[in-house]
């Protein structure tokens, strides 16, 4: 299991809210910190992938389950 500094539960939220919650969390974190994001929006991986590419924050791991996706982001 990946160690993380903060968890954001965006369950039940739809685009763009999970991404906005992630952005807010990252703004309060230090470089190298890891945030765990739980999302039930099936398109969250698309938004988070583009965001990662554009900002340089790294998706360390993505776990897809039947009813949710769990992302681990490392702040650049």
């Amino acid at each position: 299991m990946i160690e993380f500094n903060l968890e954001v539960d965006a369950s039940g939220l739809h685009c763009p809210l999970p991404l906005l919650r992630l952005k807010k969390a990252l703004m309060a974190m230090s470089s190298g910190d890891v945030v765990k994001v739980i999302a039930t929006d099936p398109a969250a991986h698309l938004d988070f992938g583009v965001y990662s590419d554009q900002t340089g924050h790294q998706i360390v791991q993505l776990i897809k389950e039947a009813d949710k996706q769990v992302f681990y982001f490392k702040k650049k």
Side-chain angles (χ1 to χ4, degrees):
M1 179 167 184
I2 295 177
E3 291 191 28
F4 56 93
N5 304 90
L6 180 67
E7 180 175 316
V8 174
D9 188 352
S11 299
L13 302 177
H14 296 283
C15 179
L17 294 176
L19 181 58
L20 294 175
R21 296 272 172 98
L22 169 63
K23 285 176 156 181
K24 184 177 180 181
L26 286 169
M27 286 183 358
M29 299 175 79
S30 299
S31 180
D33 283 353
V34 176
V35 59
K36 174 184 178 180
V37 182
I38 302 167
T40 54
D41 183 347
H45 69 282
L46 299 173
D47 294 337
F48 288 160
V50 170
Y51 179 71
S52 175
D53 290 344
Q54 291 178 345
T55 63
H57 301 303
Q58 180 185 4
I59 299 175
V60 178
Q61 186 173 16
L62 165 58
I63 302 167
K64 290 187 179 186
E65 298 178 5
D67 59 341
K68 67 182 176 183
Q69 300 173 74
V70 180
F71 299 84
Y72 292 89
F73 276 89
K74 185 174 187 178
K75 184 171 179 172
K76 70 173 183 175

